[in-house]
PDB file of all heavy atoms in Angstrom:
ATOM      1  N   CYS A  62      -6.269   4.667  -1.400  1.00  0.00           N
ATOM      2  CA  CYS A  62      -5.203   5.154  -0.532  1.00  0.00           C
ATOM      3  C   CYS A  62      -5.752   6.050   0.572  1.00  0.00           C
ATOM      4  O   CYS A  62      -5.317   5.969   1.734  1.00  0.00           O
ATOM      5  CB  CYS A  62      -4.167   5.917  -1.354  1.00  0.00           C
ATOM      6  SG  CYS A  62      -3.197   4.870  -2.461  1.00  0.00           S
ATOM      7  N   ILE A  79      -4.367  15.823   2.735  1.00  0.00           N
ATOM      8  CA  ILE A  79      -4.686  17.153   2.195  1.00  0.00           C
ATOM      9  C   ILE A  79      -4.126  17.298   0.786  1.00  0.00           C
ATOM     10  O   ILE A  79      -4.804  17.798  -0.134  1.00  0.00           O
ATOM     11  CB  ILE A  79      -4.108  18.259   3.107  1.00  0.00           C
ATOM     12  CG1 ILE A  79      -4.800  18.270   4.467  1.00  0.00           C
ATOM     13  CG2 ILE A  79      -4.190  19.623   2.431  1.00  0.00           C
ATOM     14  CD1 ILE A  79      -6.190  18.828   4.478  1.00  0.00           C
ATOM     15  N   LEU A  96     -17.136  13.808  -6.009  1.00  0.00           N
ATOM     16  CA  LEU A  96     -16.046  13.839  -5.048  1.00  0.00           C
ATOM     17  C   LEU A  96     -16.443  14.488  -3.730  1.00  0.00           C
ATOM     18  O   LEU A  96     -15.789  14.274  -2.707  1.00  0.00           O
ATOM     19  CB  LEU A  96     -14.855  14.595  -5.638  1.00  0.00           C
ATOM     20  CG  LEU A  96     -14.244  13.995  -6.912  1.00  0.00           C
ATOM     21  CD1 LEU A  96     -13.089  14.859  -7.388  1.00  0.00           C
ATOM     22  CD2 LEU A  96     -13.759  12.566  -6.648  1.00  0.00           C
ATOM     23  N   SER A 132     -25.318   7.224   2.103  1.00  0.00           N
ATOM     24  CA  SER A 132     -25.643   6.178   3.060  1.00  0.00           C
ATOM     25  C   SER A 132     -25.949   6.772   4.426  1.00  0.00           C
ATOM     26  O   SER A 132     -25.263   7.691   4.877  1.00  0.00           O
ATOM     27  CB  SER A 132     -24.471   5.195   3.168  1.00  0.00           C
ATOM     28  OG  SER A 132     -24.559   4.434   4.343  1.00  0.00           O
ATOM     29  N   ALA A 139     -19.826  10.245   9.552  1.00  0.00           N
ATOM     30  CA  ALA A 139     -19.276  11.572   9.256  1.00  0.00           C
ATOM     31  C   ALA A 139     -19.728  12.590  10.304  1.00  0.00           C
ATOM     32  O   ALA A 139     -18.953  13.428  10.756  1.00  0.00           O
ATOM     33  CB  ALA A 139     -19.698  12.014   7.865  1.00  0.00           C
ATOM     34  N   TRP A 165      -8.722  25.545  21.578  1.00  0.00           N
ATOM     35  CA  TRP A 165      -9.989  25.872  22.234  1.00  0.00           C
ATOM     36  C   TRP A 165     -10.044  25.302  23.655  1.00  0.00           C
ATOM     37  O   TRP A 165     -10.339  26.013  24.629  1.00  0.00           O
ATOM     38  CB  TRP A 165     -11.142  25.317  21.399  1.00  0.00           C
ATOM     39  CG  TRP A 165     -12.506  25.552  21.960  1.00  0.00           C
ATOM     40  CD1 TRP A 165     -13.170  24.770  22.862  1.00  0.00           C
ATOM     41  CD2 TRP A 165     -13.377  26.652  21.687  1.00  0.00           C
ATOM     42  NE1 TRP A 165     -14.403  25.294  23.148  1.00  0.00           N
ATOM     43  CE2 TRP A 165     -14.550  26.449  22.441  1.00  0.00           C
ATOM     44  CE3 TRP A 165     -13.276  27.764  20.869  1.00  0.00           C
ATOM     45  CZ2 TRP A 165     -15.615  27.339  22.404  1.00  0.00           C
ATOM     46  CZ3 TRP A 165     -14.346  28.656  20.824  1.00  0.00           C
ATOM     47  CH2 TRP A 165     -15.501  28.436  21.577  1.00  0.00           C
ATOM     48  N   LEU A 189      -9.591  34.170  18.572  1.00  0.00           N
ATOM     49  CA  LEU A 189     -10.621  35.216  18.614  1.00  0.00           C
ATOM     50  C   LEU A 189     -11.967  34.639  19.060  1.00  0.00           C
ATOM     51  O   LEU A 189     -12.648  35.206  19.928  1.00  0.00           O
ATOM     52  CB  LEU A 189     -10.728  35.869  17.241  1.00  0.00           C
ATOM     53  CG  LEU A 189     -11.711  37.024  17.060  1.00  0.00           C
ATOM     54  CD1 LEU A 189     -11.205  37.978  15.975  1.00  0.00           C
ATOM     55  CD2 LEU A 189     -13.100  36.532  16.668  1.00  0.00           C
ATOM     56  N   ILE A 235     -11.105  48.882  20.975  1.00  0.00           N
ATOM     57  CA  ILE A 235     -10.378  50.134  21.133  1.00  0.00           C
ATOM     58  C   ILE A 235      -8.968  49.961  20.594  1.00  0.00           C
ATOM     59  O   ILE A 235      -8.312  48.942  20.840  1.00  0.00           O
ATOM     60  CB  ILE A 235     -10.331  50.539  22.629  1.00  0.00           C
ATOM     61  CG1 ILE A 235     -11.760  50.670  23.180  1.00  0.00           C
ATOM     62  CG2 ILE A 235      -9.567  51.836  22.811  1.00  0.00           C
ATOM     63  CD1 ILE A 235     -11.826  50.744  24.675  1.00  0.00           C
ATOM     64  N   PHE A 268      -3.891  49.158  32.913  1.00  0.00           N
ATOM     65  CA  PHE A 268      -4.918  48.166  32.606  1.00  0.00           C
ATOM     66  C   PHE A 268      -5.230  47.446  33.917  1.00  0.00           C
ATOM     67  O   PHE A 268      -4.533  46.504  34.308  1.00  0.00           O
ATOM     68  CB  PHE A 268      -4.396  47.184  31.552  1.00  0.00           C
ATOM     69  CG  PHE A 268      -4.011  47.837  30.252  1.00  0.00           C
ATOM     70  CD1 PHE A 268      -2.678  47.958  29.880  1.00  0.00           C
ATOM     71  CD2 PHE A 268      -4.982  48.321  29.388  1.00  0.00           C
ATOM     72  CE1 PHE A 268      -2.315  48.546  28.680  1.00  0.00           C
ATOM     73  CE2 PHE A 268      -4.628  48.916  28.185  1.00  0.00           C
ATOM     74  CZ  PHE A 268      -3.292  49.034  27.831  1.00  0.00           C
ATOM     75  N   PRO A 378      12.574  29.107 -23.844  1.00  0.00           N
ATOM     76  CA  PRO A 378      12.957  30.043 -22.788  1.00  0.00           C
ATOM     77  C   PRO A 378      13.199  31.466 -23.284  1.00  0.00           C
ATOM     78  O   PRO A 378      13.746  32.287 -22.550  1.00  0.00           O
ATOM     79  CB  PRO A 378      14.262  29.434 -22.271  1.00  0.00           C
ATOM     80  CG  PRO A 378      14.864  28.822 -23.485  1.00  0.00           C
ATOM     81  CD  PRO A 378      13.726  28.364 -24.365  1.00  0.00           C
ATOM     82  N   THR A 493       5.406  43.978   3.967  1.00  0.00           N
ATOM     83  CA  THR A 493       4.189  44.118   4.776  1.00  0.00           C
ATOM     84  C   THR A 493       3.424  42.806   4.804  1.00  0.00           C
ATOM     85  O   THR A 493       2.706  42.511   5.757  1.00  0.00           O
ATOM     86  CB  THR A 493       3.273  45.226   4.222  1.00  0.00           C
ATOM     87  OG1 THR A 493       3.038  45.003   2.822  1.00  0.00           O
ATOM     88  CG2 THR A 493       3.901  46.592   4.394  1.00  0.00           C
ATOM     89  N   ASP A 541      -9.107  28.016  -0.169  1.00  0.00           N
ATOM     90  CA  ASP A 541      -8.344  27.343  -1.231  1.00  0.00           C
ATOM     91  C   ASP A 541      -7.827  25.994  -0.745  1.00  0.00           C
ATOM     92  O   ASP A 541      -7.453  25.845   0.423  1.00  0.00           O
ATOM     93  CB  ASP A 541      -7.144  28.202  -1.651  1.00  0.00           C
ATOM     94  CG  ASP A 541      -7.541  29.610  -2.056  1.00  0.00           C
ATOM     95  OD1 ASP A 541      -8.287  29.742  -3.048  1.00  0.00           O
ATOM     96  OD2 ASP A 541      -7.109  30.554  -1.383  1.00  0.00           O
ATOM     97  N   ASP A 587      32.306  47.064  28.549  1.00  0.00           N
ATOM     98  CA  ASP A 587      31.982  48.454  28.183  1.00  0.00           C
ATOM     99  C   ASP A 587      30.772  48.960  28.956  1.00  0.00           C
ATOM    100  O   ASP A 587      30.760  50.096  29.450  1.00  0.00           O
ATOM    101  CB  ASP A 587      31.715  48.549  26.681  1.00  0.00           C
ATOM    102  CG  ASP A 587      32.951  48.253  25.848  1.00  0.00           C
ATOM    103  OD1 ASP A 587      34.041  48.695  26.235  1.00  0.00           O
ATOM    104  OD2 ASP A 587      32.815  47.559  24.823  1.00  0.00           O
ATOM    105  N   LEU A 603      28.354  52.216  20.506  1.00  0.00           N
ATOM    106  CA  LEU A 603      27.782  51.459  19.405  1.00  0.00           C
ATOM    107  C   LEU A 603      27.543  50.014  19.816  1.00  0.00           C
ATOM    108  O   LEU A 603      28.440  49.360  20.360  1.00  0.00           O
ATOM    109  CB  LEU A 603      28.712  51.508  18.188  1.00  0.00           C
ATOM    110  CG  LEU A 603      28.854  52.863  17.491  1.00  0.00           C
ATOM    111  CD1 LEU A 603      29.901  52.786  16.393  1.00  0.00           C
ATOM    112  CD2 LEU A 603      27.510  53.305  16.926  1.00  0.00           C
ATOM    113  N   GLU A 648      21.433  61.616  41.944  1.00  0.00           N
ATOM    114  CA  GLU A 648      21.938  62.965  41.698  1.00  0.00           C
ATOM    115  C   GLU A 648      21.145  63.699  40.615  1.00  0.00           C
ATOM    116  O   GLU A 648      21.388  64.888  40.354  1.00  0.00           O
ATOM    117  CB  GLU A 648      23.414  62.893  41.268  1.00  0.00           C
ATOM    118  CG  GLU A 648      24.333  62.255  42.301  1.00  0.00           C
ATOM    119  CD  GLU A 648      24.413  63.082  43.578  1.00  0.00           C
ATOM    120  OE1 GLU A 648      24.663  64.296  43.471  1.00  0.00           O
ATOM    121  OE2 GLU A 648      24.200  62.510  44.672  1.00  0.00           O
ATOM    122  N   LEU A 695      13.679  71.607  18.081  1.00  0.00           N
ATOM    123  CA  LEU A 695      14.478  70.721  17.236  1.00  0.00           C
ATOM    124  C   LEU A 695      15.915  71.218  17.135  1.00  0.00           C
ATOM    125  O   LEU A 695      16.866  70.416  17.146  1.00  0.00           O
ATOM    126  CB  LEU A 695      13.844  70.617  15.846  1.00  0.00           C
ATOM    127  CG  LEU A 695      12.479  69.930  15.779  1.00  0.00           C
ATOM    128  CD1 LEU A 695      11.935  69.959  14.352  1.00  0.00           C
ATOM    129  CD2 LEU A 695      12.551  68.501  16.280  1.00  0.00           C
ATOM    130  N   ASN A 705      22.103  65.337  20.944  1.00  0.00           N
ATOM    131  CA  ASN A 705      22.189  65.134  19.500  1.00  0.00           C
ATOM    132  C   ASN A 705      22.014  63.670  19.103  1.00  0.00           C
ATOM    133  O   ASN A 705      21.493  63.361  18.034  1.00  0.00           O
ATOM    134  CB  ASN A 705      23.525  65.671  18.982  1.00  0.00           C
ATOM    135  CG  ASN A 705      23.711  65.434  17.500  1.00  0.00           C
ATOM    136  OD1 ASN A 705      24.367  64.470  17.099  1.00  0.00           O
ATOM    137  ND2 ASN A 705      23.116  66.298  16.689  1.00  0.00           N
ATOM    138  N   LYS A 734      -2.491  70.590  12.388  1.00  0.00           N
ATOM    139  CA  LYS A 734      -3.612  71.533  12.223  1.00  0.00           C
ATOM    140  C   LYS A 734      -4.761  70.952  11.406  1.00  0.00           C
ATOM    141  O   LYS A 734      -5.657  71.677  10.974  1.00  0.00           O
ATOM    142  CB  LYS A 734      -3.115  72.808  11.529  1.00  0.00           C
ATOM    143  CG  LYS A 734      -2.235  73.683  12.405  1.00  0.00           C
ATOM    144  CD  LYS A 734      -1.785  74.920  11.606  1.00  0.00           C
ATOM    145  CE  LYS A 734      -0.951  75.853  12.437  1.00  0.00           C
ATOM    146  NZ  LYS A 734      -0.522  77.051  11.661  1.00  0.00           N
ATOM    147  N   LYS A 777       8.710  64.890  22.982  1.00  0.00           N
ATOM    148  CA  LYS A 777       7.835  64.586  24.127  1.00  0.00           C
ATOM    149  C   LYS A 777       8.491  64.893  25.479  1.00  0.00           C
ATOM    150  O   LYS A 777       7.823  65.431  26.380  1.00  0.00           O
ATOM    151  CB  LYS A 777       7.391  63.127  24.069  1.00  0.00           C
ATOM    152  CG  LYS A 777       6.429  62.714  25.181  1.00  0.00           C
ATOM    153  CD  LYS A 777       5.980  61.277  24.982  1.00  0.00           C
ATOM    154  CE  LYS A 777       5.039  60.831  26.093  1.00  0.00           C
ATOM    155  NZ  LYS A 777       5.735  60.721  27.387  1.00  0.00           N
ATOM    156  N   GLY A 807      -8.603  57.874  17.216  1.00  0.00           N
ATOM    157  CA  GLY A 807      -8.190  57.039  18.340  1.00  0.00           C
ATOM    158  C   GLY A 807      -8.859  55.686  18.380  1.00  0.00           C
ATOM    159  O   GLY A 807      -8.268  54.712  18.852  1.00  0.00           O
TER     160      GLY A 807
END
Side-chain angles (χ1 to χ4, degrees):
C62 291
I79 294 286
L96 299 179
S132 162
W165 179 273
L189 182 151
I235 302 167
F268 300 108
T493 52
D541 305 297
D587 294 320
L603 291 175
E648 300 295 309
L695 294 177
N705 177 262
K734 288 179 178 180
K777 182 176 179 292

